[in-house]
Amino acid sequence: MLRHVVLMNWNHELSVEEAAEVKRVLDDLGAQSPDVVAFSHGPDVGVRANGSDYALVADFDNADGWKAYSKHPAHDVVRGVMGKIVSDQAIVQFQIADSIAGSQ
């Protein structure tokens, strides 16, 4: 299994409408991408200071699944929305054991 993690910081405080659009386009991306095994995302809840503003975690059977997800047309919609509001992001992909992914 391949886990894809994206941590994002906004370039301004999001309006209610912008936050709803982020949720909508990411929910749609997760639902439309057939290679996604597991998909979650959400804003930082503020338990620890200096965290990122938002996170996305997506699991795939393998790197080819991630590549297909990255090329999916719904991803272009996400890039268009995020390009206007993200100031910086960190991305990492790493291998996880299938038994761990199944318990997520």
Side-chain angles (χ1 to χ4, degrees):
M1 295 288 288
L2 180 80
R3 178 158 287 167
H4 171 68
V5 179
V6 182
L7 302 174
M8 296 166 268
N9 288 308
W10 307 134
N11 59 21
H12 64 276
E13 187 172 337
L14 299 189
S15 68
V16 171
E17 294 81 11
E18 288 171 317
E21 183 176 34
V22 166
K23 181 179 181 339
R24 180 185 60 75
V25 298
L26 289 176
D27 285 348
D28 191 49
L29 174 62
Q32 284 196 42
S33 301
D35 294 286
V36 170
V37 173
F39 193 84
S40 59
H41 62 90
D44 182 58
V45 296
V47 173
R48 181 180 183 271
N50 301 318
S52 295
D53 292 324
Y54 206 88
L56 176 143
V57 178
D59 292 342
F60 305 89
D61 286 329
N62 52 45
D64 288 337
W66 176 83
K67 290 174 185 175
Y69 155 87
S70 183
K71 293 177 183 176
H72 194 283
H75 216 142
D76 293 334
V77 175
V78 171
R79 289 181 183 106
V81 169
M82 297 304 193
K84 300 172 194 171
I85 59 175
V86 173
S87 64
D88 60 89
Q89 63 183 5
I91 301 170
V92 64
Q93 289 125 2
F94 59 96
Q95 294 291 107
I96 59 172
D98 290 348
S99 60
I100 293 172
S103 66
Q104 299 292 318

